Amino acid sequence: MQNPNKKIYIAGHNGLVGSAIKKVCTNKGYKNLVLKTRNEVDLTDYNQTKEFFLSEKPDWVFLAAAKVGGIHGNSTYPTEFLLENLKIQNNVIESAREAQCEKLLFLGSSCIYPKECPQPIKEEFLLTGKLEPTNEPYAIAKIAGIKLCDAMNKQYGTNFLSVMPSNMYGPNDNYHSENAHVLPMLLRRFHEAKERGDTKVSVWGTGKPMREFLYSEDLADACLYLMENYNASTLGGLINIGTSKEVSILELANIIKETVGFKGKLEFDRSKPDGTMRKVIDTGKINNLGWMPSRSLQEGIKLVYQDFLTNQELRKG
């Protein structure tokens, strides 16, 4: 651990990733965490954001604030997904430079990579092909954030890095019935089907797409590890974080079904989109730095189901 009194601002500390980063930083002994809700600092407002940064002057910044969602959310609200994310990241990254922050870590997403991409996906594959249409607005915003961090490093000598996690899940996830990502959406769907006594659960698509899932506290551990050990100005600003272990949507559904204890049948709605058919990221870069994830998918799903059962707020919407 570095200086335990280092001032650390976690943007989006109540969300899936931000809350995990907060927990990991606290567990590792960092005591000086700056935590602000949207009501306290609206990161889509440049003047508010700049004033906050110049007042607080954090040493490290974890930029985990974002508008997120699954295929339905991205397809239904493309303007909001593009515009709100651009505003947040532009304001935070620019303000961090103006406040002379020592280091910033920008959270991206593996959806930034081309739809038809060689597997596993290496960092250098960015911008080598067309994006998956169902999440293009979100991906374009995140790519802009990566390039802004790179531009800042080149022009101003900042130490701003961007991490690309695989599909994330964990405590404080979004379980919205329509706008959530696939894992939390399925968990809620199976749980509610069990409560109603349904005989079947419908899953979007064919069940064939392959995905990789990363537990949020493993991601948070990797992010803190990079802040402590990685220099973006010399080693490059973009780095993948994942497990390098993939599972089909069918296999995922069966793991969730077993965890929840649903006894009915699975059926797949082939009229709904599959999205990208295979997506697993190459984690050689961060593995070579000495970091590896610690939780299996089965273990992680058990943990998030317990969180779902005990936190009634997660079930709204």
Side-chain angles (χ1 to χ4, degrees):
M1 185 184 72
Q2 297 197 16
N3 180 0
N5 294 313
K6 193 176 288 289
K7 184 180 278 192
I8 301 174
Y9 171 48
I10 304 171
H13 71 279
N14 285 324
L16 169 63
V17 179
S19 61
I21 291 173
K22 175 187 171 184
K23 181 177 180 180
V24 168
C25 285
T26 301
N27 289 345
K28 292 289 180 70
Y30 290 99
K31 303 173 183 178
N32 194 3
L33 304 184
V34 180
L35 309 170
K36 298 290 183 180
T37 65
R38 182 166 185 166
N39 289 334
E40 293 173 296
V41 180
D42 182 359
L43 298 177
T44 66
D45 184 304
Y46 173 68
N47 290 326
Q48 278 193 45
T49 307
K50 180 179 178 179
E51 182 180 343
F52 162 72
F53 268 85
L54 292 177
S55 173
E56 288 286 349
K57 290 190 175 294
D59 299 307
W60 288 356
V61 178
F62 289 96
L63 179 42
K67 182 175 181 63
V68 298
I71 291 175
H72 178 83
N74 275 271
S75 300
T76 309
Y77 308 106
T79 304
E80 287 79 2
F81 273 87
L82 181 56
L83 195 57
E84 189 169 331
N85 283 304
L86 284 172
K87 286 180 179 179
I88 291 170
Q89 62 204 37
N90 287 352
N91 293 342
V92 171
I93 294 168
E94 185 173 2
S95 297
R97 182 192 66 80
E98 291 179 337
Q100 298 182 326
C101 296
E102 175 189 330
K103 208 165 190 178
L104 177 144
L105 184 145
F106 172 61
L107 266 298
S109 165
S110 58
C111 73
I112 63 162
Y113 291 114
K115 178 179 180 179
E116 303 297 336
C117 200
Q119 304 286 326
I121 303 171
K122 298 179 182 291
E123 288 88 350
E124 56 262 35
F125 295 163
L126 181 64
L127 294 177
T128 58
K130 292 184 178 180
L131 297 167
E132 162 57 46
T134 56
N135 56 27
E136 185 179 79
Y138 181 76
I140 287 174
K142 289 298 181 181
I143 291 169
I146 296 165
K147 292 302 181 181
L148 180 57
C149 287
D150 289 346
M152 292 283 189
N153 293 342
K154 181 179 180 180
Q155 186 172 347
Y156 295 104
T158 53
N159 190 0
F160 294 174
L161 62 146
S162 304
V163 300
M164 297 304 110
S166 56
N167 295 293
M168 292 174 290
Y169 70 102
N172 297 314
D173 209 340
N174 170 21
Y175 291 90
H176 192 279
S177 57
E178 292 183 337
N179 296 336
H181 285 114
V182 60
L183 192 155
M185 185 185 290
L186 286 178
L187 192 147
R188 176 174 180 167
R189 195 173 295 172
F190 276 106
H191 173 79
E192 292 180 346
K194 176 187 174 182
E195 284 193 325
R196 290 191 301 262
D198 293 351
T199 58
K200 61 183 179 180
V201 166
S202 178
V203 180
W204 277 26
T206 63
K208 294 179 180 179
M210 304 297 292
R211 293 290 183 271
E212 174 187 359
F213 295 94
L214 177 66
Y215 190 66
S216 59
E217 289 178 24
D218 279 344
L219 169 62
D221 184 69
C223 289
L224 182 56
Y225 184 88
L226 290 170
M227 289 295 264
E228 293 176 333
N229 298 287
Y230 190 81
N231 190 320
S233 61
T234 58
L235 297 172
L238 177 59
I239 186 165
N240 289 336
I241 303 176
T243 64
S244 295
K245 296 178 181 178
E246 53 188 333
V247 62
S248 71
I249 298 300
L250 172 60
E251 292 170 313
L252 173 68
N254 279 318
I255 293 171
I256 294 174
K257 176 184 173 184
E258 182 178 346
T259 302
V260 170
F262 177 71
K263 303 300 182 183
K265 295 182 178 180
L266 274 177
E267 66 175 25
F268 287 89
D269 183 355
R270 294 173 180 267
S271 70
K272 302 295 186 182
D274 272 326
T276 304
M277 289 306 295
R278 186 183 181 217
K279 188 166 65 175
V280 58
I281 61 176
D282 187 303
T283 58
K285 191 173 181 180
I286 192 169
N287 295 156
N288 290 337
L289 291 170
W291 182 87
M292 296 288 290
S294 62
R295 291 171 182 84
S296 69
L297 181 59
Q298 289 81 354
E299 178 187 358
I301 289 175
K302 287 179 182 178
L303 289 171
V304 294
Y305 187 47
Q306 288 304 311
D307 182 58
F308 178 82
L309 291 174
T310 56
N311 189 345
Q312 294 291 329
E313 288 294 312
L314 297 176
R315 306 187 210 181
K316 292 183 177 180

